[in-house]
């Protein structure tokens, strides 16, 4: 009894301490002032004020990663000149971890923290500043007080010189675009900020306000984008039954050559090529990217694997379900654009065939499972090396194709009554809205089985957790289609290397597993000088007229030494798939096709 009483007393003491600490923390007021006195040198100056403090110590923390991009990026490396003052006196800030500073603040009720951040990495997930604009990816800009993630914060932005616009999904304070409010740090870290002279245009979709900010110019047609975005948004809302936002923001960076996107709770950041809008193919790719990132509004930002929120910004968040979060989104990005009738069914089928070809031509398909590719994103997907193609796969690509097979499975098993759409809506409603949490792997499997009407254990064991080849034609036959390999009967020889593009010298950047180069010992970083005494061309076929079994002599330079390497050419195992209709489709197949492709 005494031991039990002691444990109870200890528990109550800890609970009291936690309660008083939390209440003290939540009583604090936090504000930031952002300025750009040296934007041309890629710096932002941050002043952070915290008032209403009642504790004896305070931790200042910087996230080590950003939600949606699964890599520890060590944002604290870009902080310099950190200084803390209270009542006009400097306080010591002791670094206790790579991203944490500790302050002793006994008797101090408010502190002012000033620091600079160097921002010169162009991507959708990292901050970039120059004299033209500032893109602030919040996790690598804002320090936050430990144990105060739920605290609100106000951000006041002082623009550089003639910058006149701020674009962000963060709410304006009293209508002032230069002053923004975040109810907590999870929202702040999920709300990028663009400052500059970007072109901004707006449109409304059934009562939800949309804003598009274009930086870097471009050949885009804003009226066409508004019309096409509206169609895409409505198709996505139709799946989930609601748009959970009152407003949503697209931030688009237009470069000479750009791409990529990153989703956020009420916004997204897209990279694009400024002149690519002029061609229909490239414009459709832009719409597909926008469709992908906007679909994340539901899938991953709200309907999510259970580990992906609330976030631990100090450590990785491992999940085996990125094939759902990203792969299903990659599937739906093109499904949605097709449903808008912005391009014909043949285009959609060609996109699916291209994804199948991309996956099947990756040697890592025989090495890494889909669930493992999700889990290892932190150490592999965002840290590729010269051998990555041989050892792994993309959970985007294979996840999208698994989504395709499951969609056809559900439609076929339910005789056209249900589809993957129904699973997505059910899981969104059940876990985000009702249970108010993420799902486990087992729970999503149950959701799929609910609409398939059968167990999917073998499917999971074979295609998600195993290395069994995906049986595309089994599932495509449900809709009266098949895929064929147009290269199946070819007898082409292949060396099996990749090279640096647009470089006169032939520098090997990759060697495919099982190829002639792999078997006979060509290495990454080798410079190939000639083949059979003929200097290698800057581009084009390296072995014209050669057949499998032919022997060639490759002269190369490795580590400064010249080497003659005999190579026996092997048959190319490249595949290129295309869709074909099965002859005389049955009524059942046409029912599945109509449900899948939304065609008459």
């Amino acid at each position: 009894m005494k031991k039990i009483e002691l444990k109870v007393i200890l528990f109550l003491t800890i609970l009291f301490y936690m309660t008083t600490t939390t209440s003290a923390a939540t009583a604090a007021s936090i504000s930031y002032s952002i300025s750009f006195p040296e934007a041309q040198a890629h710096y932002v100056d941050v002043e952070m004020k915290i008032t209403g403090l009642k504790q004896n110590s305070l931790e200042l923390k910087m996230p080590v990663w950003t939600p949606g991009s699964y890599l520890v990026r060590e944002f604290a490396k870009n902080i310099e000149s950190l200084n803390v003052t209270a009542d006009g006196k400097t306080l010591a800030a002791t670094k206790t971890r790579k991203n944490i500073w500790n302050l002793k603040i006994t008797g101090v009720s408010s502190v002012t923290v000033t620091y600079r951040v160097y921002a010169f990495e162009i991507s959708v997930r990292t901050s970039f500043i120059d004299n033209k604009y500032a893109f602030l990816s919040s996790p690598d800009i804002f320090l936050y007080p430990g144990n105060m993630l739920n605290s609100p914060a106000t951000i006041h932005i002082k623009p550089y010189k003639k910058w006149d616009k701020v674009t962000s999904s963060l709410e304006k304070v009293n209508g002032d675009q230069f002053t923004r409010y975040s109810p907590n740090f999870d929202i702040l870290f999920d709300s990028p900020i663009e400052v500059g002279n970007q072109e901004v245009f707006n449109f409304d979709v059934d009562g939800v306000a949309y804003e598009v900010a274009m930086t870097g110019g471009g050949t885009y047609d804003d009226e066409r984008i508004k019309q096409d975005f509206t169609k895409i948004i409505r198709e996505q809302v139709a799946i989930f039954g609601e748009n959970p936002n009152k407003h949503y923001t697209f931030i688009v960076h237009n470069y000479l050559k750009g791409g990529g996107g990153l989703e956020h709770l009420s916004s997204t950041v897209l990279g694009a090529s400024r002149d690519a809008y002029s061609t229909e193919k490239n414009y459709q790719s832009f719409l597909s990217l926008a469709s992908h990132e906007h679909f994340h509004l539901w899938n991953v930002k709200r309907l999510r694997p259970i580990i992906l929120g609330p976030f631990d910004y100090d450590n990785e968040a491992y999940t085996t379900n990125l094939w759902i979060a990203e792969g299903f989104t990659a599937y739906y990005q093109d499904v949605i654009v097709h449903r808008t009738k912005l391009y014909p069914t043949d285009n959609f089928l060609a996109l699916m065939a291209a994804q199948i070809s991309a996956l099947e031509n990756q040697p890592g398909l025989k090495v890494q499972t889909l669930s493992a590719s999700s889990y290892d994103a932190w150490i592999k997907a965002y840290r590729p090396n010269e051998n990555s193609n041989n050892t792994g796969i993309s959970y985007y690509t294979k996840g999208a194709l698994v989504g395709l097979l499951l969609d056809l499975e559900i439609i076929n098993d339910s005789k056209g009554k249900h589809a993957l759409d129904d699973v997505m809506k059910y899981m969104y409603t059940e876990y985000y809205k009702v249970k108010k949490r993420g799902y486990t792997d087992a729970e999503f499997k149950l959701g799929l089985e609910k609409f398939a009407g059968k167990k999917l254990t073998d499917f999971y064991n074979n295609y998600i957790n195993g290395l069994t080849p995906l049986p595309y034609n089994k599932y495509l036959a449900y809709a009266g289609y098949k895929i064929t390999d147009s290269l199946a009967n070819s007898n082409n020889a292949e060396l099996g290397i990749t090279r640096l593009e647009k470089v006169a010298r032939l520098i090997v950047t990759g060697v495919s597993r099982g190829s002639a180069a792999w078997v006979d010992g060509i290495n990454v970083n080798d410079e190939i000088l000639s083949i059979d005494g003929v200097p290698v061309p800057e581009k084009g076929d390296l072995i014209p007229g050669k057949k499998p079994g032919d022997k060639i002599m490759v002269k190369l330079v490795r580590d400064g030494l010249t080497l003659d390497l005999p190579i026996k050419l092997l048959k190319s195992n490249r595949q290129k798939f295309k869709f074909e209709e099965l002859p005389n489709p049955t009524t059942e197949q046409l029912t599945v096709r109509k449900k899948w492709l939304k065609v008459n």
Side-chain angles (χ1 to χ4, degrees):
M1 284 293 292
K2 288 184 179 180
K3 289 183 179 179
I4 295 175
E5 289 173 359
L6 183 60
K7 288 181 179 179
V8 171
I9 293 170
L10 180 60
F11 171 78
L12 292 174
T13 302
I14 293 172
L15 182 62
F16 174 77
Y17 174 79
M18 291 174 61
T19 303
T20 54
T21 302
T22 301
S23 62
T26 55
S29 175
I30 304 168
S31 64
Y32 297 88
S33 179
I34 304 292
S35 60
F36 307 92
E38 291 189 297
Q40 83 289 345
H42 321 298
Y43 278 95
V44 57
D45 285 21
V46 183
E47 181 182 83
M48 175 187 189
K49 291 186 176 181
I50 311 172
T51 62
L53 294 169
K54 298 179 181 179
Q55 58 264 49
N56 293 325
S57 64
L58 177 68
E59 282 188 337
L60 299 176
K61 307 177 78 173
M62 175 67 86
V64 303
W65 66 288
T66 185
S69 181
Y70 307 105
L71 176 67
V72 172
R73 296 183 183 273
E74 312 293 17
F75 294 133
K77 67 185 178 184
N78 292 322
I79 291 181
E80 60 181 75
S81 304
L82 188 144
N83 185 57
V84 184
T85 60
D87 300 325
K89 297 179 181 179
T90 299
L91 293 182
T94 304
K95 202 166 188 178
T96 57
R97 186 178 161 171
K98 60 184 180 180
N99 66 317
I100 299 175
W101 292 259
N102 187 268
L103 312 177
K104 301 300 182 184
I105 57 169
T106 302
V108 173
S109 62
S110 64
V111 297
T112 298
V113 184
T114 59
Y115 58 97
R116 313 189 82 200
V117 178
Y118 180 73
F120 193 57
E121 183 178 351
I122 294 178
S123 81
V124 295
R125 64 192 70 85
T126 50
S127 295
F128 177 86
I129 300 167
D130 66 8
N131 59 359
K132 294 181 180 179
Y133 73 98
F135 170 63
L136 306 180
S137 178
S138 300
D140 65 6
I141 297 296
F142 296 101
L143 287 168
Y144 70 97
N147 298 321
M148 296 189 194
L149 279 172
N150 291 324
S151 298
T154 302
I155 303 96
H156 180 65
I157 299 163
K158 300 176 182 178
Y160 176 74
K161 293 187 176 180
K162 295 183 179 181
W163 292 353
D164 60 4
K165 294 185 183 72
V166 173
T167 300
S168 177
S169 60
L170 292 172
E171 298 289 347
K172 299 174 185 176
V173 176
N174 297 323
D176 179 8
Q177 68 166 329
F178 296 102
T179 305
R180 303 290 176 133
Y181 172 81
S182 179
N184 57 59
F185 280 93
D186 285 324
I187 289 179
L188 177 57
F189 293 149
D190 216 6
S191 304
I193 302 169
E194 185 90 358
V195 191
N197 301 109
Q198 58 271 24
E199 181 187 356
V200 177
F201 53 90
N202 302 278
F203 61 102
D204 181 274
V205 182
D206 304 322
V208 178
Y210 279 82
E211 178 182 35
V212 180
M214 289 283 193
T215 295
T219 57
Y220 56 86
D221 179 338
D222 55 349
E223 289 301 321
R224 186 182 183 188
I225 287 175
K226 287 191 282 188
Q227 293 172 11
D228 293 343
F229 275 18
T230 297
K231 294 175 184 177
I232 289 169
I233 291 162
R234 282 180 173 151
E235 289 291 344
Q236 293 183 355
V237 171
I239 294 174
F240 295 95
E242 67 174 15
N243 190 327
N245 282 320
K246 293 181 179 179
H247 56 81
Y248 188 92
T249 300
F250 289 93
I251 297 174
V252 186
H253 293 146
N254 294 300
Y255 307 108
L256 176 63
K257 184 178 180 180
L262 187 65
E263 72 276 4
H264 297 283
L265 189 68
S266 302
S267 62
T268 186
V269 183
L270 308 178
S273 299
R274 64 175 62 93
D275 295 327
Y277 302 94
S278 301
T279 67
E280 200 62 24
K281 180 180 178 180
N282 289 332
Y283 178 67
Q284 288 176 5
S285 295
F286 172 71
L287 292 180
S288 179
L289 173 63
S291 174
H292 180 106
E293 300 306 336
H294 189 269
F295 194 83
H296 275 312
L297 187 161
W298 296 274
N299 191 32
V300 102
K301 300 315 299 184
R302 291 167 176 85
L303 169 62
R304 58 177 175 79
I306 198 163
I307 194 66
L308 296 184
F311 291 114
D312 175 359
Y313 297 102
D314 294 335
N315 300 289
E316 303 94 328
Y318 288 96
T319 173
T320 57
N321 292 137
L322 293 181
W323 63 273
I324 300 170
E326 290 291 355
F328 279 18
T329 303
Y331 171 58
Y332 269 106
Q333 70 184 47
D334 296 315
V335 167
I336 293 296
V337 179
H338 173 249
R339 287 179 185 176
T340 64
K341 297 181 171 53
L342 291 171
Y343 53 66
T345 296
D346 286 348
N347 289 45
F348 172 71
L349 297 180
L351 288 169
M352 293 297 103
Q355 291 209 51
I356 294 171
S357 298
L359 180 66
E360 294 300 319
N361 285 323
Q362 195 162 0
L365 181 61
K366 298 178 181 179
V367 178
Q368 187 182 50
T369 68
L370 183 54
S371 56
S373 72
S374 297
Y375 196 84
D376 287 340
W378 293 92
I379 60 173
K380 291 188 176 183
Y382 286 90
R383 289 176 176 166
N385 62 25
E386 68 283 349
N387 200 40
S388 293
N389 195 53
N390 294 318
T391 61
I393 57 168
S394 165
Y395 48 78
Y396 285 83
T397 306
K398 189 173 182 180
L401 295 173
V402 164
L404 163 64
L405 301 192
L406 285 169
D407 200 3
L408 291 169
E409 178 78 270
I410 293 167
I411 295 170
N412 183 69
D413 291 345
S414 66
K415 302 186 185 307
K417 183 180 179 181
H418 299 302
L420 189 59
D421 288 9
D422 298 290
V423 178
M424 302 305 288
K425 181 177 181 179
Y426 167 76
M427 294 297 293
Y428 171 78
T429 302
E430 183 70 13
Y431 288 91
Y432 171 67
K433 298 190 69 176
V434 177
K435 290 185 169 63
K436 302 185 186 304
R437 64 169 175 83
Y439 57 80
T440 65
D441 184 62
E443 287 168 338
F444 202 96
K445 178 172 176 286
L446 288 173
L448 290 165
E449 292 172 341
K450 175 181 176 68
F451 291 93
K454 66 179 184 183
K455 294 291 184 182
L456 294 172
T457 301
D458 288 344
F459 189 98
Y460 265 67
N461 288 342
N462 290 329
Y463 312 128
I464 296 168
N465 301 320
L467 295 171
T468 305
L470 296 179
Y472 304 105
N473 282 332
K474 170 187 172 181
Y475 290 90
L476 291 173
Y478 295 155
Y481 287 105
K482 68 175 181 178
I483 56 166
T484 58
D485 178 12
S486 61
L487 300 178
N489 297 320
S490 66
N491 192 38
N492 298 326
E494 184 178 47
L495 189 55
I497 65 169
T498 56
R499 63 183 293 179
L500 287 174
E501 295 182 0
K502 298 180 180 179
V503 175
R505 298 163 60 202
L506 197 165
I507 307 297
V508 177
T509 58
V511 178
S512 294
R513 184 187 297 271
S515 68
W518 174 285
V519 172
D520 288 329
I522 292 179
N523 290 350
V524 168
N525 297 326
D526 285 350
E527 179 184 356
I528 299 180
L529 302 177
S530 65
I531 296 177
D532 287 342
V534 178
V536 295
E538 292 187 13
K539 59 182 179 179
D541 192 358
L542 295 177
I543 49 173
K546 298 295 184 181
K547 298 297 181 184
D550 289 350
K551 295 180 180 179
I552 61 174
M553 184 63 69
V554 176
K555 183 179 289 292
L556 55 84
V557 175
R558 179 182 298 165
D559 190 31
L561 301 177
T562 302
L563 175 67
D564 289 319
L565 195 64
I567 303 287
K568 182 179 180 180
L569 294 175
L570 302 177
K571 183 179 183 297
S572 171
N573 58 6
R574 303 294 295 175
Q575 301 175 88
K576 186 177 181 180
F577 292 100
K578 62 180 180 178
F579 271 72
E580 294 182 3
E581 288 192 58
L582 295 176
N584 305 314
T586 65
T587 300
E588 290 78 8
Q589 288 173 322
L590 291 175
T591 297
V592 173
R593 184 185 299 182
K594 180 179 179 181
K595 181 75 171 181
W596 176 41
L597 297 175
K598 298 291 190 290
V599 293
N600 296 325

